[in-house]
Amino acid sequence: QVVKVILRALSDKRLAVRYASGFDAVWFPVFRWLLSDDIYDFFLKRMYRRFANAGSRSREPFQPNRAARLTASSRGSFRKVVLITGASSGFGFAAANILAHRGYRVYATYRNPKRLKALQALSREEDVHPLFVETTDTQSVEKAVKTLLQKEERIDVLINNAGFAMGGFLEDMSDQDLKDQFDTNLFGYIRAVRAVAPIMRRQRSGQIINVGSISGRIAVPALGAYV
């Protein structure tokens, strides 16, 4: 669902500010505004139990739809260049996989070398290029963008996706815990935007997609730092 919305944003001419992905992103804020606290708490507890049960079950590995692959003739020689942060797993990996199928040249960033194997395997099949980036380090972000630019001479799309959720109560967290959360989820996005925006301005073209969370609009218990 998230990748489907990313694809819609890439092809949309109206340049919307926000694209909702999934039932919860559309209706969860509405429910919260209309429901009383007691009913809202009831739904929250039901939701947490559902997530806990889902997490205990094994999931099938992600398999892209091979029918969505474009032929070499339809792709042509020009491919839009996409930079995806946090692409070694989750939404980022799925986006790298599908966008490569759709004819994009994908630079997929990773931070943990232990998660590089999946990207390397993908790169042997698709136009995906693993790129090390530590989004909490400005120099690392700028170096990666410079490396990409030297190879491609342009960057058409930035998908800001690298992030993590720090669970726990605020009273138990240190200042450093909170700084780490914001350094990745907020300032990491800003670093990437600052690195690519001048390039896109010179090109007079480009798109930036920031992957967010419904928790940015509606608070949930025990995720204070993330919210």
Side-chain angles (χ1 to χ4, degrees):
Q1 287 183 337
V2 171
V3 178
K4 183 178 180 180
V5 172
I6 289 174
L7 291 171
R8 181 159 63 90
L10 288 173
S11 62
D12 199 344
K13 301 299 183 183
R14 67 188 180 93
L15 301 176
V17 174
R18 178 177 182 265
Y19 293 86
S21 174
F23 175 86
D24 58 341
V26 176
W27 292 108
F28 200 36
V30 177
F31 287 155
R32 181 62 189 107
W33 295 328
L34 295 179
L35 297 180
S36 68
D37 287 341
D38 290 341
I39 298 177
Y40 176 67
D41 288 343
F42 170 78
F43 278 114
L44 268 186
K45 293 173 182 176
R46 290 285 300 273
M47 184 179 66
Y48 277 128
R49 284 197 292 269
R50 186 188 68 182
F51 287 161
N53 292 334
S56 64
R57 297 193 297 267
S58 61
R59 295 182 178 181
E60 292 295 324
F62 174 79
Q63 295 293 339
N65 183 2
R66 292 288 170 176
R69 181 194 297 271
L70 300 180
T71 63
S73 60
S74 65
R75 285 177 175 175
S77 58
F78 174 78
R79 295 188 178 191
K80 285 191 173 182
V81 177
V82 182
L83 174 64
I84 306 176
T85 65
S88 61
S89 62
F91 297 144
F93 185 83
N97 203 343
I98 292 178
L99 288 177
H101 274 74
R102 296 294 182 99
Y104 290 85
R105 173 163 291 139
V106 178
Y107 282 79
T109 78
Y110 69 95
R111 181 183 63 84
N112 188 346
K114 295 180 179 179
R115 293 190 171 183
L116 180 57
K117 290 183 178 180
L119 282 178
Q120 289 175 329
L122 182 61
S123 68
R124 289 191 286 270
E125 298 181 2
E126 303 294 343
D127 197 355
V128 174
H129 307 268
L131 187 64
F132 174 80
V133 172
E134 176 54 78
T135 59
T136 62
D137 183 348
T138 300
Q139 290 184 344
S140 177
V141 174
E142 293 177 347
K143 180 180 179 181
V145 172
K146 183 178 179 180
T147 298
L148 186 159
L149 201 60
Q150 288 174 342
K151 294 181 179 180
E152 304 295 341
E153 299 183 347
R154 64 180 295 107
I155 176 170
D156 300 291
V157 181
L158 165 66
I159 299 179
N160 256 329
N161 171 74
F164 72 98
M166 179 179 291
F169 297 103
L170 289 177
E171 65 179 310
D172 297 325
M173 293 181 181
S174 66
D175 288 351
Q176 189 60 50
D177 290 333
L178 296 172
K179 289 178 181 178
D180 290 344
Q181 178 75 103
F182 277 78
D183 205 16
T184 299
N185 290 19
L186 174 60
F187 295 113
Y189 276 37
I190 294 173
R191 291 184 186 98
V193 169
R194 288 191 314 205
V196 305
I199 300 167
M200 293 179 174
R201 189 174 296 109
R202 290 196 299 268
Q203 297 171 173
R204 301 183 66 84
S205 66
Q207 290 175 283
I208 297 175
I209 299 175
N210 296 315
V211 178
S213 169
I214 190 62
S215 296
R217 292 168 64 85
I218 299 295
V220 294
L223 282 176
Y226 181 67
V227 170

